[in-house]
């Protein structure tokens, strides 16, 4: 008798607990096969009651959504892949790391590697519409040393794309000027860092695309930044800029002596470019700028040589249209000693 009473008490407790469970919680406890069977029974039933019919339709939609979310044989859905790519792009930009195609394949696409074009285009649309940014492919790193050129000649396959991207703003210039610097880690740190790498990229670009290490140190000394900067020590700052792609440090032996030069890196060409360099020079001169300042800047950056290949009108449109096209050509021009001296005099005036 005592055992029978205990069994009845347990059954009453279980029935009370089941009455308190909501239908949504009950469906979550059921396995997927049971949910599908319940859905078929509801669809095949009479459905005379209007209220019950609406509940059945809601249950049917929920189960179908769960089926789509839990499908694993065909890979993730396109919407999930797009969200992953957008998150990866934002995370890489936050740490100033390039968005590599290999990372997209392993961290985003997985077994859906053939859907790169579709997911990439949709992610670009989401970035433009919601964040005011887009992914731009970085230019290929230039092979300037003898060893790099020989290695390039030995390779059978010629690389035409870098397969790395960075985020750039799509906002109009009038809105970019009013945006404050990022607050992470601090506004002072970010504004100082942006100003320093813009200054260094401009100095190298105005020197013809490359500058000797000793000459760069002289410019830093005149700016009182040869030992320390608001960001970090000068040596560590240059190492960080090279690591993040704003600068390139080229070391080569010539006649038994080691020659070290700095060039503009792929990220510096895209983020700063010829438009950023010209804007910095105009900002330094202000109202006292000479009439031929634009011509001097173009000559120092080696843009006149490219204009000879086309009409003067086309060249002016390229300089005023966008920074990315001219930026890709700004760092690759080598100038002779006389031209470098001419650009050095213009930089000294700055």
């Amino acid at each position: 008798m005592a055992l029978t009473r205990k069994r009845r008490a347990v059954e009453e407790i279980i029935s009370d607990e089941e009455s308190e469970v909501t239908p949504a919680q009950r469906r979550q406890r059921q396995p997927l096969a049971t949910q599908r069977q319940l859905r078929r029974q509801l669809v095949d039933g009479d459905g005379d009651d209007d209220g019950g019919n609406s509940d059945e339709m809601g249950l049917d939609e929920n189960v179908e959504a769960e089926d789509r979310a839990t499908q694993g044989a065909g890979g993730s859905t396109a919407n999930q892949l797009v969200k992953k790519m957008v998150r990866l792009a934002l995370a890489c930009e936050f740490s100033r790391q390039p968005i590599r195609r290999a990372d997209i394949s392993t961290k985003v696409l997985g077994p859906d590697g053939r859907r790169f074009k579709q997911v990439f285009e949709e992610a670009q649309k989401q970035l433009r519409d919601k964040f005011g940014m887009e992914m731009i492919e970085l230019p290929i790193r230039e092979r300037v040393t003898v060893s790099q050129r020989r290695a390039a000649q030995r390779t059978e396959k010629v690389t035409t794309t870098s397969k790395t991207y960075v985020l750039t703003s799509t906002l109009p210039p009038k809105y970019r000027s009013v945006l404050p610097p990022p607050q992470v880690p601090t506004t002072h740190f970010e504004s100082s860092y942006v100003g320093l790498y813009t200054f260094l990229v401009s100095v190298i670009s105005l020197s013809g695309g490359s500058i000797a290490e000793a000459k760069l140190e002289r410019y830093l000394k005149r700016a009182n930044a040869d030992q320390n900067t608001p960001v970090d020590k000068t040596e560590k700052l240059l190492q960080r800029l090279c690591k993040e792609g704003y600068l390139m440090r080229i070391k080569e032996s010539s006649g038994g002596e080691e020659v070290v030069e700095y060039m503009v890196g792929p990220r510096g060409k895209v983020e700063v470019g010829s438009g950023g360099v010209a804007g910095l020079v105009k900002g330094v001169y202000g109202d006292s700028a000479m009439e031929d300042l634009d011509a001097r800047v173009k000559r120092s950056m080696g843009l006149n040589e490219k204009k000879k290949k086309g009409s003067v009108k086309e060249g002016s449109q390229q300089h005023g249209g966008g920074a990315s096209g001219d930026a890709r050509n700004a760092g690759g021009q080598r100038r002779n000693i006389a031209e470098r001296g001419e650009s050095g005099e213009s930089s000294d005036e700055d």
Side-chain angles (χ1 to χ4, degrees):
M1 295 295 293
L3 182 62
T4 305
R5 291 195 200 98
K6 290 182 180 179
R7 186 177 301 171
R8 289 178 180 176
V10 171
E11 291 177 354
E12 290 177 358
I13 293 173
I14 293 175
S15 61
D16 292 339
E17 290 180 351
E18 290 181 352
S19 62
E20 294 177 357
V21 176
T22 62
Q25 294 176 347
R26 191 179 296 109
R27 286 196 301 271
Q28 290 178 357
R29 294 180 181 179
Q30 294 175 348
L32 185 60
T34 306
Q35 294 179 8
R36 290 174 177 170
Q37 183 178 4
L38 179 61
R39 181 185 63 185
R40 295 192 188 97
Q41 293 176 359
L42 292 174
V43 172
D44 296 337
D46 296 332
D48 296 335
D49 190 4
D50 294 339
N53 191 17
S54 61
D55 295 338
E56 294 168 6
M57 292 178 62
L59 177 62
D60 190 19
E61 293 175 357
N62 292 335
V63 174
E64 288 179 357
E66 292 176 1
D67 290 346
R68 291 194 298 268
T70 55
Q71 63 178 357
S76 303
T77 61
N79 191 26
Q80 292 175 339
L81 296 177
V82 171
K83 291 180 180 179
K84 287 182 180 180
M85 184 173 289
V86 171
R87 285 197 294 266
L88 176 64
L90 295 175
C92 291
E93 180 61 25
F94 177 77
S95 58
R96 284 192 169 92
Q97 297 298 320
I99 308 165
R100 295 183 174 87
R101 174 71 180 271
D103 294 338
I104 295 176
S105 300
T106 56
K107 299 179 181 180
V108 176
L109 299 178
D112 300 317
R114 295 183 178 180
R115 303 170 67 178
F116 171 78
K117 185 176 180 181
Q118 173 191 356
V119 176
F120 183 83
E121 292 176 354
E122 186 62 28
Q124 286 280 63
K125 185 177 183 299
Q126 295 288 338
L127 288 170
R128 294 190 187 103
D129 296 343
K130 296 183 179 181
F131 298 96
M133 295 183 289
E134 65 180 356
M135 288 183 282
I136 299 295
E137 187 174 7
L138 292 175
I140 302 175
R141 286 182 176 267
E142 300 177 12
R143 299 179 176 89
V144 293
T145 62
V146 177
S147 59
Q148 290 175 348
R149 292 173 181 173
R150 288 176 180 174
Q153 291 176 356
R154 287 195 297 267
T155 56
E156 297 179 357
K157 187 177 180 180
V158 180
T159 305
T160 56
T161 59
S162 63
K163 295 183 179 180
T164 55
Y165 307 86
V166 293
L167 285 180
T168 58
S169 177
T170 59
L171 296 177
K174 62 179 180 179
Y175 296 121
R176 298 185 193 182
S177 59
V178 299
L179 290 176
Q183 298 181 357
V184 180
T186 61
T187 303
H188 175 71
F189 181 90
E190 280 295 312
S191 58
S192 301
Y193 187 64
V194 172
L196 284 169
Y197 75 65
T198 304
F199 165 71
L200 291 172
V201 169
S202 301
V203 168
I204 297 174
S205 299
L206 293 172
S207 299
S210 65
I211 188 173
E213 186 178 33
K215 190 174 181 180
L216 181 61
E217 290 176 354
R218 290 199 299 269
Y219 283 120
L220 290 172
K221 189 174 183 179
R222 293 188 62 181
N224 198 22
D226 56 330
Q227 298 295 330
N228 296 286
T229 66
V231 176
D232 204 341
K233 292 184 177 180
T234 304
E235 183 180 357
K236 293 184 178 180
L237 173 66
L238 294 175
Q239 292 176 358
R240 178 180 175 179
L241 292 175
C242 293
K243 181 180 179 181
E244 294 179 352
Y246 291 102
L247 303 179
M248 291 192 306
R249 189 172 186 267
I250 310 299
K251 184 188 297 184
E252 189 174 9
S253 299
S254 177
E257 296 181 358
E258 190 177 74
V259 179
V260 179
E261 289 185 338
Y262 282 92
M263 299 179 64
V264 181
R267 195 182 188 97
K269 296 177 182 179
V270 173
E271 286 195 10
V272 181
S274 60
V277 174
L280 177 65
V281 174
K282 292 178 181 178
V284 170
Y285 278 94
D287 297 334
S288 61
M290 61 284 296
E291 295 180 356
D292 59 342
L293 180 61
D294 290 338
R296 290 191 178 190
V297 172
K298 295 175 185 178
R299 184 173 66 249
S300 299
M301 297 179 63
L303 299 179
N304 289 336
E305 298 178 2
K306 302 175 186 60
K307 287 187 178 183
K308 293 179 182 179
K309 298 179 181 180
S311 63
V312 178
K313 182 178 179 180
E314 292 176 351
S316 61
Q317 289 176 351
Q318 291 176 359
H319 182 270
S324 60
D326 293 338
R328 297 185 181 184
N329 299 325
Q333 292 296 327
R334 294 276 185 152
R335 307 291 300 269
N336 54 34
I337 299 177
E339 288 174 330
R340 288 186 180 179
E342 204 172 67
S343 62
E345 293 176 0
S346 62
S347 300
D348 292 342
E349 291 177 1
D350 295 347

